[in-house]
Amino acid sequence: MRFDIITVLPGLLESPFAHSILQRAQKKGVCEIVVHNLRDYANNKHKSVDDYPYGGGSGMVMQIEPFAACIEQLQEARKYDEVIFMTPDGTTLNQTIANNLSTKGNLMVLCGHYKGIDQRIRDVFVTRELSIGDYVLSGGELPAAVLVDAVVRLVPGVLSDETSALSDSFQGGLLDAPVYTRPADWRGNKVPDVLLSGNEGAIHAWRDEQALARTKERRPDLLDE
């Protein structure tokens, strides 16, 4: 799987992609993450990629030409399953979308900044628009990192225990059950006896009950769906 990420702030993505699961995925050769500096495609000596909005108003808008030049150059090299724009007015990212994207081969991700990007880039090139929540950040870099992490961990060969992702919250439409590890008794707070019983059937039943109870309490909307 390959991610090509277009951003005006490539340094902001260095740390998320250089640690933990994303680092291991790249070292294993399971995933390739390439960050492209949008300023390299600017057509002016100052390498600026934004301009004032038509019609007036506050803020600056990212220009068409740098994005178009970068996107078209990348598309000459390979076919992309999706060209994704991270934006607050996109579809909210969820586990179902992450599962779907994890089956793809090549994904391109556009990171906006300033007031946003020229609508014509969205109209001509973008195939999917995603949000990570109903709030606004300074740019699309952190949402892009969230997207990549959510997707890559689902790719076979990334996690040491490939069944681990299957029991995550939201995979079965429910939140995950509580989890415990050693010590079995910490300051009088004990691990539920069933988890120490060795009875796999009872343990699975307990986890199912706890997952349902936690979902009813915290995210009843998931049950409505």
Side-chain angles (χ1 to χ4, degrees), residues 171-210:
Q171 282 291 15
L174 301 175
L175 300 182
D176 199 4
V179 293
Y180 300 86
T181 189
R182 294 180 178 87
D185 187 337
W186 179 75
R187 299 179 183 178
N189 295 279
K190 297 181 179 181
V191 173
D193 291 336
V194 65
L195 297 179
L196 307 176
S197 68
N199 185 329
E200 292 189 8
I203 290 172
H204 285 308
W206 179 87
R207 285 176 172 160
D208 288 343
E209 292 170 1
Q210 291 294 315

Side-chain angles (χ1 to χ4, degrees), residues 23-191:
Q23 180 192 53
R24 293 200 300 272
Q26 293 175 85
K27 285 185 174 180
K28 287 181 177 181
V30 177
C31 177
E32 184 177 8
I33 305 172
V34 184
V35 178
H36 305 270
N37 189 341
L38 188 64
R39 294 190 189 279
D40 293 340
Y41 298 85
N43 56 9
N44 58 82
K45 65 179 181 179
H46 299 294
K47 298 296 182 181
S48 61
V49 295
D50 61 307
D51 207 340
Y52 295 102
Y54 278 125
S58 61
M60 302 291 281
V61 177
M62 301 186 82
Q63 297 173 301
I64 292 178
E65 287 90 347
F67 266 116
C70 185
I71 293 169
E72 289 173 344
Q73 179 175 303
L74 292 173
Q75 289 179 331
E76 287 177 1
R78 60 186 49 82
K79 178 178 175 58
Y80 288 88
D81 297 290
E82 297 276 8
V83 177
I84 301 168
F85 176 48
M86 305 305 299
T87 173
D89 60 356
T91 301
T92 302
L93 175 65
N94 58 30
Q95 196 64 43
T96 300
I97 293 173
N99 288 340
N100 174 263
L101 292 177
S102 73
T103 67
K104 307 299 183 182
N106 299 310
L107 299 174
M108 188 188 304
V109 184
L110 314 184
C111 301
H113 216 72
Y114 311 114
K115 188 67 175 177
I117 68 174
D118 191 296
Q119 179 64 37
R120 288 167 289 184
I121 289 294
R122 300 170 72 168
D123 294 340
V124 174
F125 295 105
V126 172
T127 62
R128 186 187 289 246
E129 300 188 342
L130 294 176
S131 166
I132 62 168
D134 295 338
Y135 47 87
V136 177
L137 298 176
S138 300
E141 290 78 16
L142 297 181
V146 169
L147 172 68
V148 173
D149 190 290
V151 172
V152 169
R153 66 189 308 278
L154 299 170
V155 177
V158 172
L159 297 181
S160 299
D161 179 1
E162 293 189 4
T163 64
S164 176
L166 299 178
S167 61
D168 287 342
S169 289
F170 306 109
Q171 282 291 15
L174 301 175
L175 300 182
D176 199 4
V179 293
Y180 300 86
T181 189
R182 294 180 178 87
D185 187 337
W186 179 75
R187 299 179 183 178
N189 295 279
K190 297 181 179 181
V191 173

